[in-house]
């Protein structure tokens, strides 16, 4: 069953953020362990690469930024220019206008309120554009894949998102848990990644023969019901084994939202299954209740503390240097060697999460990949920056993203 729908995701805040052009300059020095070629590269005239961000305060956003501005800029000829926090499509448009006026040679986007407008603006201006830790919808990809200046996207595709939700439920049911709450985040905004994660959760539960969601037990049918309803209806969940005792969505934080959160927690589920930002939003509220959170987020200090104290029981997380390959592809394009598919289209490559269920696993991941010693270091990325590598070689490099692939 083919499910496509343009994402209609926005926040309640309609504030157009002013563009901040405080550049994070590249350095002639290199970080420890870098190659001699990197020293020469860092000394070259830097490429002005601009970054659109919807978040400037979370530990995930800060670690991603530090990786670019501290490590990447110290080893490659690049100067990063970051936008302010972009709350909506109009703010993104304003930031893009500022980037174009300030002669940016490429844009890497972490902001997704209106990617089509971003893509059109970049194409019209003749500057390269890439999507980090994300993906275009099927419809959007078909529309923009042949744009000359669209580099491509590297991030979890829909099936990777589905698998993350599925794996989360598999972890908790293997522990003997049977009662769950769900935090659906952007489901009512038709945020594709949240819908697929939620569908994975429900499909995992529906593997029990007594369990169904509105009569649906298969992925396509569950997805279809969520898209049709624009929400998750716990009254439609039926099972002799499992219970859905509460559901919460959006980030309204008003009195009604707070009451719904309180009701979900008061029901006392074994775990709350979050499509994202679960610990950030619910961690303090469940602390000390014995309820665990399953989350799809990032390897941050706050999440480590939550896993250490037992609040966070499962994390499918983005690691610090996950955005290394999209940077390499973007710089390669600027330097005259863009990666294009056999059909001469922009690429759409999947990259998924690293999972942790204990503080020890979490710490092992943090120790293996951080700003100082990233898994996507200069030696790993340099062969894919205007070095003659083929698209197939680059795609194979990106496909080996698991902890076992990169750390061993």
């Amino acid at each position: 069953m083919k499910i496509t729908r343009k994402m209609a995701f926005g926040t309640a805040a309609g504030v157009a953020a002013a563009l901040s052009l405080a550049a994070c300059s590249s350095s002639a020095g290199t970080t420890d362990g870098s190659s001699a070629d990197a020293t020469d590269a860092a000394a070259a005239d830097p490429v002005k690469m601009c970054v659109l961000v919807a978040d400037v305060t979370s530990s995930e956003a800060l670690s991603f930024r530090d990786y670019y501005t501290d490590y990447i800029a110290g080893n490659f000829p690049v100067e990063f220019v970051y936008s302010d926090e972009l709350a909506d499509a109009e703010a993104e448009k304003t930031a893009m206008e500022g980037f174009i006026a300030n002669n940016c040679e490429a844009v890497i986007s972490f902001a997704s309120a209106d990617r089509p407008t971003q893509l059109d603006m970049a194409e019209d201006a003749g500057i390269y554009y890439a999507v980090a830790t994300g993906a275009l919808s099927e419809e959007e990809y078909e529309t923009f894949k042949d744009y000359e200046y669209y580099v491509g996207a590297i991030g979890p595709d829909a099936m990777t998102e589905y698998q993350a939700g599925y794996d989360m439920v598999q972890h908790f049911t293997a522990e003997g848990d049977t009662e769950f709450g769900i935090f659906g985040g952007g489901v009512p905004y038709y945020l594709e990644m949240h819908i697929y994660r939620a569908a994975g959760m429900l499909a995992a539960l529906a593997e029990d023969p007594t369990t169904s969601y509105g009569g649906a037990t298969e992925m396509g049918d569950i997805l279809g019901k969520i898209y049709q309803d624009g929400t998750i209806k716990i009254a439609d969940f039926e099972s002799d084994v499992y219970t859905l005792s509460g559901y919460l969505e959006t980030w309204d934080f008003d009195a009604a939202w707070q009451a719904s959160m309180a009701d979900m927690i008061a029901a006392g589920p074994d775990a709350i299954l979050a499509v994202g930002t679960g610990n950030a939003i619910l961690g303090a509220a469940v602390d000390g209740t014995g309820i665990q959170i399953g989350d799809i987020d990032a390897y941050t200090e706050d999440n480590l503390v939550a896993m250490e104290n037992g609040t966070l029981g499962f994390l499918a997380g983005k690691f610090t240097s996950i955005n290394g390959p999209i940077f390499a592809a973007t710089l390669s394009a600027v330097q005259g060697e863009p990666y294009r598919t056999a059909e001469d289209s922009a690429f759409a490559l999947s990259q998924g999460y690293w999972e942790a269920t204990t503080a020890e696993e979490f710490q092992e991941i943090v120790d293996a990949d951080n700003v100082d010693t990233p898994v996507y270091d200069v030696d790993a990325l340099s062969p894919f920056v205007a070095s003659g590598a083929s698209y197939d070689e680059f795609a194979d490099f990106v496909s080996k993203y698991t902890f076992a692939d990169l750390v061993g």
Side-chain angles (χ1 to χ4, degrees), residues 373-390:
T373 58
V375 291
Y376 287 129
D377 61 13
V378 61
D379 291 327
L381 298 178
S382 291
F384 300 98
V385 178
S387 297
S390 69

Side-chain angles (χ1 to χ4, degrees), residues 299-309 312 359 362-363 366:
Y299 285 88
T300 66
E301 184 63 33
D302 289 343
N303 284 339
L304 174 57
V305 171
M307 192 159 276
E308 288 174 335
N309 68 25
L312 185 61
F362 194 118
Q363 189 64 56
V366 172

Side-chain angles (χ1 to χ4, degrees), residues 223-257:
L223 280 167
K225 178 169 172 53
I226 296 173
Y227 271 101
Q228 177 180 323
D229 295 341
T231 188
I232 293 172
K233 299 178 178 179
I234 61 173
D236 291 345
F237 181 81
E238 297 181 349
S239 179
D240 293 342
V241 177
Y242 301 114
T243 302
L244 288 186
S245 56
Y247 176 70
L248 180 69
E249 63 186 12
T250 79
W251 304 271
D252 291 340
F253 305 121
D254 57 15
W257 188 96

Side-chain angles (χ1 to χ4, degrees), residues 4 13 27 61 94 152 163 165-166 177 195 236 263 270 286 345 351 391:
T4 59
S27 164
T94 300
Q163 189 67 42
Y166 179 93
D177 295 334
I195 289 174
D236 291 345
D263 288 344
D270 298 314
V286 304
S345 298
Q351 192 177 41
Y391 168 72

Side-chain angles (χ1 to χ4, degrees), residues 141 213 243 264:
Y141 180 71
Y213 178 59
T243 302
M264 182 171 66

